[in-house]
Amino acid sequence: MLKRTTCFKGKAAAELFYSTKLERKGAAPEPIKATLFGKGGVQGLDQREHQHRKKLFMPFMESSNLDDLFNLTHAIWQRRIKSWIGNPEISLYEEAQLIHTEAICEWFGIPLRKDEIPEKAKELTIMFDYAGAKDLSYFKARFKRKKTERWISEHIEDIRKHPREYSDSYLKRFSLFRDLRGELLPLNAATTEILSALRPAVAISLYVVFLAHALHQFPDRARLMNTEKDRFSFIQEVRRFYPFFPVIPARARENFVWRNHEFIKGQMVLLDIYGTNHDERIWKHPEHFMPERFNDRPENPYDFIPQGGGDHATGHRCPGELITIGFMNVALHCLTEEIDYHVPIQDLKINFSRLPAIINSHMILNNVRPKS
Ligand code: HEM
């Protein structure tokens, strides 16, 4: 947009990006806010206000809160798998969207009839799948977001009117959350925050597609998965190797110089997350798919950043990482332990030119049958 912008990658860049020299206010471009992020949400807040709002999401980072979600997700996978058997073919991307929509809505406390699931899965998918579109589908995403926002805000308003009639749930906690001044969040901000949990949970269907792609493209690596640790390393390598959203935006809070590069107050800064996960200074043979690189790898919050870096509670790092890994774990288990299937000839190339990047064919499977 003809504005001075610094784009950088790597561990040191990520450390600077998550320091107090940069801020998020006003960083996300309007077209992305209108589809993907929504307005008034945690992504655009800084410092005390950010840390207070982040408390809403931190229970997602406690594994004891997530067992029910993963058991529920597994049961839904098993039910969907039954419907695949005898079907000529299924699209894994679309199936995972349905599974994740049903699981996250039920777990969050959002009432959804079975016949509403396909429509809501489509609405939540459009919010991330067309967010970067350069044609009319972008406006479709904007329009759909409004409809989805109405669906959520009606629930919030009802809870606020009749709180006693609702038992405890994430929906209720998000609806009644108060800001630092003790005020209920504005309706649009509360809606944005609820959608910031539902939408990305459905977006994990992209990672399910990448998982199946990796199982197919790298069968020798898949065969080496014998223990829980191997499975974890495989999932981490999928999160490192495949592209998702490429960059995160921020703005310089002040004038400063970093490694001979001048940053001007207010200028745009982009952290290249895909580039950092493929940076040859961090990763040996970054373009090779090697799950074993994660065996016993010490964790560092700035060098492996598929969902952002730094600290989950005090910084902007994604609070959905455990949900993401857990959903991928359920998918990996079902694809490798519960079914056999055939991958017919299809276009398995990754389309890097769209946002988010995706496998062109969406991963079609046929001849799905229970594991022999
Ligand atoms: C933030 C990626 C799943 C909720 C982020 C960020 C990235 C990201 C790159 C920005 C980090 C930053 O600004 O520094 C992903 C990917 C996911 C995923 C690739 C898997 C598909 C989830 C899930 C949830 C979630 C499952 C919640 C249920 C959020 C929220 C933020 C965020 C609320 C804003 C955090 C903040 O600004 O403090 N995510 N995410 N994400 N993510 Fe995720």
Side-chain angles (χ1 to χ4, degrees):
M1 306 302 282
L2 302 179
K3 287 187 187 144
R4 179 190 169 108
T5 302
T6 300
C7 184
F8 57 4
K9 68 173 182 182
K11 190 168 157 226
E15 269 174 39
L16 175 69
F17 191 82
Y18 287 100
S19 75
T20 50
K21 293 222 176 303
L22 301 180
E23 63 186 3
R24 300 304 176 94
K25 198 168 156 215
E30 212 287 323
I32 293 285
K33 274 199 279 191
T35 50
L36 188 68
F37 291 162
K39 299 192 175 156
V42 65
Q43 283 101 340
L45 303 178
D46 291 295
Q47 296 173 329
R48 277 186 68 224
E49 219 184 333
H50 170 260
Q51 285 188 22
H52 179 71
R53 186 78 65 83
K54 194 72 181 272
K55 288 184 188 146
L56 258 181
F57 295 89
M58 287 316 289
F60 301 165
M61 285 306 297
E62 285 166 36
S63 46
S64 56
N65 290 338
L66 302 177
D67 289 347
D68 288 349
L69 174 62
F70 300 147
N71 290 335
L72 175 65
T73 310
H74 189 196
I76 300 170
W77 264 90
Q78 289 178 319
R79 205 182 67 230
R80 294 289 320 161
I81 284 173
K82 281 195 189 131
S83 75
W84 302 348
I85 294 167
N87 240 351
E89 61 178 34
I90 60 119
S91 161
L92 190 61
Y93 186 36
E94 277 71 22
E95 286 295 323
Q97 290 160 17
L98 294 172
I99 294 169
H100 293 176
T101 300
E102 183 174 349
I104 197 72
C105 286
E106 185 172 336
W107 181 74
F108 207 86
I110 296 180
L112 204 54
R113 292 191 316 270
K114 290 266 182 291
D115 62 315
E116 290 176 309
I117 295 167
E119 191 196 334
K120 293 303 170 201
K122 205 163 268 165
E123 283 178 25
L124 291 167
T125 300
I126 284 173
M127 289 167 93
F128 63 84
D129 209 28
Y130 294 127
K134 298 178 207 88
D135 55 17
L136 278 181
S137 38
Y138 169 77
F139 293 99
K140 189 172 162 192
R142 267 187 101 123
F143 174 74
K144 281 278 181 191
R145 181 167 183 118
K146 292 251 169 290
K147 183 166 178 238
T148 317
E149 282 173 346
R150 271 200 303 279
W151 165 52
I152 295 300
S153 55
E154 279 167 15
H155 283 302
I156 300 172
E157 285 179 309
D158 204 54
I159 289 178
R160 286 178 175 182
K161 266 193 228 135
H162 315 284
R164 292 220 178 85
E165 288 175 22
Y166 285 83
S167 51
D168 182 38
S169 69
Y170 286 110
L171 175 63
K172 186 172 177 184
R173 285 183 225 168
F174 274 58
S175 301
L176 299 181
F177 187 78
R178 290 177 184 269
D179 65 17
L180 282 169
R181 291 168 296 281
E183 309 275 347
L184 287 171
L185 296 186
L187 188 59
N188 73 337
T191 304
T192 293
E193 300 305 27
I194 292 173
L195 288 172
S196 291
L198 305 190
R199 182 199 65 245
V202 179
I204 302 169
S205 49
L206 281 159
Y207 271 148
V208 171
V209 168
F210 292 142
L211 262 180
H213 188 265
L215 290 170
H216 182 66
Q217 299 290 87
F218 311 108
D220 49 332
R221 302 289 171 182
R223 266 193 294 275
L224 293 176
M225 261 188 298
N226 295 315
T227 62
E228 209 168 298
K229 203 164 139 196
D230 298 335
R231 301 160 64 81
F232 180 71
S233 297
F234 195 90
I235 288 169
Q236 294 296 68
E237 182 65 346
V238 167
R239 292 169 72 224
R240 184 198 72 81
F241 180 81
Y242 286 91
F244 209 107
F245 283 94
V247 293
I248 313 172
R251 282 185 185 281
R253 192 195 297 274
E254 57 196 64
N255 292 336
F256 64 93
V257 176
W258 179 79
R259 299 193 164 183
N260 294 328
H261 185 87
E262 200 181 353
F263 289 79
I264 310 290
K265 182 175 176 181
Q267 76 151 89
M268 189 71 137
V269 183
L270 296 176
L271 177 64
D272 178 358
I273 40 183
Y274 180 77
T276 303
N277 290 337
H278 288 251
D279 186 340
E280 58 290 341
R281 292 168 299 179
I282 304 171
W283 310 97
K284 206 169 159 191
H285 307 306
E287 302 311 326
H288 291 191
F289 186 83
M290 294 167 31
E292 66 277 15
R293 69 171 89 241
F294 281 98
N295 295 349
D296 305 316
R297 183 174 197 273
E299 271 191 37
N300 179 297
Y302 300 107
D303 65 5
F304 173 51
I305 54 167
Q307 294 178 232
D311 185 71
H312 292 102
T314 56
H316 283 275
R317 187 175 185 141
C318 174
E321 282 200 276
L322 289 187
I323 295 184
T324 305
I325 293 169
F327 271 25
M328 291 174 77
N329 197 28
V330 173
L332 185 61
H333 171 82
C334 291
L335 292 171
T336 56
E337 306 290 324
E338 302 206 352
I339 52 171
D340 287 318
Y341 55 86
H342 177 66
V343 178
I345 294 174
Q346 58 192 289
D347 183 356
L348 290 174
K349 280 197 281 306
I350 303 174
N351 184 349
F352 280 88
S353 69
R354 84 192 281 282
L355 183 83
I358 191 163
I359 308 295
N360 279 328
S361 64
H362 292 188
M363 229 41 224
I364 305 295
L365 311 182
N366 68 17
N367 192 16
V368 179
R369 55 216 183 271
K371 187 99 188 156
S372 50

